[in-house]
């Protein structure tokens, strides 16, 4: 986990924060991808600002399909790290991308959360944060709110939208998820989403509680621009989970087109997840000599790893673009690198591109256009560097830990929604 600098503590010491707070979330440190880094940064920011912070979470397993070594026996179920008390519960990590495996994983874990409340292992709190995914976290978090307290639900993924768009559920099952989302979110005191598009989706779903738009945030002290390593070839980097919603099959097609435009460039896919073996097999079958696979880099070396990418990739399946905002985009901007994403007009990423001009977007499922955009950036290092500077400046102003902490604290203390 990141060490808080003296400068960060000085900034956060001026922010009014709740004396005690609880975060209910499936993912947390040391998980390196998905929502875990952002939730870890938020919890440690509250702790650094003086909050007695507790996190109720799972034994770490994402983005793989098993509990991490050293955690399965429960010996690390009660830890305090960087001022945050971490309480972990047993779960059954999902194997594959199916809805049934996810529901077993989430059901077992959240049943454990409720049992922890019933046994008094975790007390009720006046200030409660919950994270979706999973909507079950939002639903059970209400049981942890003390009378007169406030519960803020943070929605990183709208599960019913993603499930329907990605073909993971339908009919009665999808309607049941939508009903649970509507009921659970309408019981929260405030809701946070990552984009205006996500707020629109929640309104259409029937959610009527106050909704604040707060972009994904990043530890801008830990993630900062570094020089590219000497002697490496031009590198196009994807770093994150190998999952369905990323639409990584279009990256492989992009790599095939890129080889004709920049035969000296490599495409580095750094990550893990349920699709890893499938993607590797596809790359071999397509004869992609310019594609390399590597594991996720440790968090303490993340800035160094991001510096390897001259151009980064943020692919998405178009069907789910309105239901999620990729946090990796903000992390890349903090590292001072441009990226090429796939998105639809009017989506959260399209709006952000128009606002800051720090990356390029291409239509989903258009790998040739994606390859051309990547090649254009590789061929114009001065333009890429200028885009990187604009992205970094935007992060410092809008998406740093200190900027975001104040907004979350306001929601927990008095329900301030801009």
């Amino acid at each position: 986990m990141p060490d808080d600098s003296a400068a960060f503590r000085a900034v956060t010491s001026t922010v009014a924060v709740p004396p005690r707070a609880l975060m209910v979330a499936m993912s947390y440190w040391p998980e390196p991808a998905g929502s875990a880094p952002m939730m870890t940064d938020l919890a440690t920011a509250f702790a650094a600002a003086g909050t007695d912070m507790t996190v109720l979470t799972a034994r770490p397993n994402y983005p793989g399909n098993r509990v991490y070594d050293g955690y399965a026996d429960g010996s690390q179920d009660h830890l305090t790290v960087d001022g945050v008390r971490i309480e972990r519960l047993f779960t059954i990590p999902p194997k594959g991308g199916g809805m049934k495996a996810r529901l077993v994983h989430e059901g077992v874990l959240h049943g454990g959360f409720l049992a922890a409340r019933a046994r008094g292992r975790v007390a009720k709190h006046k200030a409660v944060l919950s994270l979706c995914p999973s909507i079950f976290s939002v639903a059970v978090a209400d049981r942890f709110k003390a009378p007169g307290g406030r519960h803020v639900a943070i929605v990183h993924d709208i599960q019913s939208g993603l499930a329907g768009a990605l073909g993971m559920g339908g009919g009665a099952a999808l309607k049941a998820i939508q009903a649970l989302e509507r009921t659970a979110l309408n019981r929260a005191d405030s809701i946070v989403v990552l984009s205006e598009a996500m707020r629109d989706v929640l309104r259409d779903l029937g959610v009527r509680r106050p909704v604040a738009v707060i972009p994904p945030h990043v530890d801008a002290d830990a993630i900062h621009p570094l020089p590219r390593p000497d002697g490496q070839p031009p590198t196009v980097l994807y770093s994150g989970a190998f999952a369905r919603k990323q639409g990584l099959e279009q990256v492989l097609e992009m790599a095939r087109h890129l080889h004709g435009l920049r035969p000296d460039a490599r495409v580095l896919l750094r990550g893990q997840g349920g699709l890893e073996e499938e993607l590797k097999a596809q790359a071999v079958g397509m004869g992609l000599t310019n594609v390399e696979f590597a594991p996720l880099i440790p968090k303490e070396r993340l800035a160094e790893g991001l510096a390897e990418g001259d151009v980064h990739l943020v692919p998405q399946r178009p069907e789910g673009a309105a239901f999620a905002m990729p946090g990796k985009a903000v992390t890349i901007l903090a590292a001072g690198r441009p990226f090429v994403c796939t998105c639809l007009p009017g989506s959260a990423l399209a709006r952000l591109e128009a606002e800051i001009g720090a990356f390029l977007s291409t239509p989903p499922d258009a790998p040739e256009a994606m390859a051309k955009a990547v090649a254009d950036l590789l061929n114009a290092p001065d333009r890429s560097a200028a885009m990187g500077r604009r992205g970094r400046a935007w992060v410092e102003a809008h998406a740093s830990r200190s900027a975001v902490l104040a907004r979350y604290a306001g929601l927990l203390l008095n329900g301030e929604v801009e």
Side-chain angles (χ1 to χ4, degrees):
M1 294 171 69
D3 292 323
D4 292 298
S5 66
F8 174 73
R9 287 194 296 272
V11 171
T12 56
S13 67
T14 66
V15 176
V17 295
R20 295 176 68 243
L22 172 70
M23 177 183 291
V24 180
M26 286 202 309
S27 297
Y28 195 73
W29 171 88
E31 294 176 338
S35 298
M38 281 185 283
M39 292 301 96
T40 302
D41 287 340
L42 184 59
T44 55
F46 270 107
T51 295
D52 181 353
M53 191 76 209
T54 298
V55 172
L56 183 62
T57 189
R59 293 173 183 170
N61 61 87
Y62 186 83
N65 55 16
R66 65 182 183 86
V67 174
Y68 290 6
D69 292 343
Y71 287 87
D73 63 357
S75 61
Q76 300 194 65
D77 282 355
H78 312 274
L79 290 178
T80 298
V81 182
D82 282 0
V84 178
R85 186 179 303 106
I86 308 169
E87 296 289 334
R88 299 190 185 275
L89 275 296
F90 171 82
T91 190
I92 301 174
K95 290 181 170 59
M99 179 65 72
K100 182 178 179 180
R102 285 184 60 93
L103 288 175
V104 170
H105 166 52
E106 296 182 21
V108 168
L109 176 63
H110 290 91
F113 285 176
L114 292 174
R117 169 81 281 277
R119 293 194 301 267
R121 175 176 166 182
V122 179
K124 291 189 174 185
H125 286 64
K126 288 279 190 179
V128 178
L129 294 162
S130 64
L131 174 69
C132 181
S134 160
I135 192 60
F136 293 115
S137 295
V138 178
V140 304
D142 197 60
R143 303 286 187 92
F144 292 87
K145 186 179 76 169
R150 291 191 57 80
H151 168 206
V152 175
I154 306 169
V155 180
H156 281 186
D157 289 334
I158 301 172
Q159 284 182 288
S160 63
L162 284 173
L166 302 181
M168 296 171 63
L174 186 59
K175 290 181 179 179
I177 296 173
Q178 291 173 331
L180 178 59
E181 286 174 332
R182 185 163 47 249
T183 301
L185 291 171
N186 277 326
R187 293 180 66 181
D189 295 287
S190 295
I191 300 164
V192 171
V193 294
L194 303 179
S195 69
E196 297 284 351
M198 292 176 72
R199 176 159 58 187
D200 294 344
V201 171
L202 290 187
R203 292 299 186 221
D204 290 342
L205 188 65
V207 175
R208 297 293 176 254
R209 303 302 295 159
V211 180
V213 178
I214 302 179
H217 65 277
V218 64
D219 181 354
D221 293 326
I223 308 300
H224 54 275
L226 290 173
R228 72 188 303 274
D230 291 333
Q232 75 168 22
T235 298
V236 183
L237 176 62
Y238 170 84
S239 181
F242 295 155
R244 294 286 176 197
K245 73 177 182 178
Q246 274 72 38
L248 288 167
E249 63 281 350
Q250 60 194 316
V251 170
L252 297 182
E253 286 290 341
M254 183 281 302
R256 183 170 63 84
H257 291 290
L258 182 64
H259 185 67
L261 299 171
R262 283 295 299 259
D264 59 332
R266 66 167 175 163
V267 179
L268 177 59
L269 303 182
R270 179 180 286 147
Q272 65 187 75
L275 297 184
E276 182 173 356
E277 296 307 317
E278 180 180 329
L279 290 169
K280 288 180 177 178
Q282 288 179 8
V284 171
M286 295 170 67
L288 297 177
T289 58
N290 60 340
V291 172
E292 299 177 17
F293 288 84
L296 288 169
I297 203 161
K299 186 174 179 66
E300 60 271 15
R301 293 181 50 225
L302 182 55
E304 176 187 337
L306 293 170
E308 292 183 44
D310 297 295
V311 177
H312 287 248
L313 300 175
V314 183
Q316 296 182 101
R317 288 275 295 273
E319 306 95 322
F323 308 105
M325 171 74 170
K328 66 168 60 68
V330 176
T331 304
I332 296 165
L333 296 176
R337 293 294 194 272
F339 62 83
V340 175
C341 70
T342 61
C343 65
L344 296 171
S347 65
L349 280 176
R351 296 178 189 182
L352 188 60
E353 179 193 11
E355 178 185 348
I356 64 177
F359 58 92
L360 300 178
S361 63
T362 60
D365 298 323
E368 190 170 0
M370 190 185 220
K372 184 180 184 305
V374 168
D376 287 346
L377 291 177
L378 291 176
N379 292 336
D382 289 344
R383 179 192 182 195
S384 293
M387 294 173 77
R389 289 191 294 271
R390 287 195 292 271
R392 175 68 189 186
W394 180 86
V395 166
E396 291 176 349
H398 300 283
S400 67
R401 296 171 73 203
S402 54
V404 167
L405 173 67
R407 296 196 63 190
Y408 276 103
L411 288 170
L412 281 171
L413 288 171
N414 48 37
E416 294 175 354
V417 177
E418 295 179 3

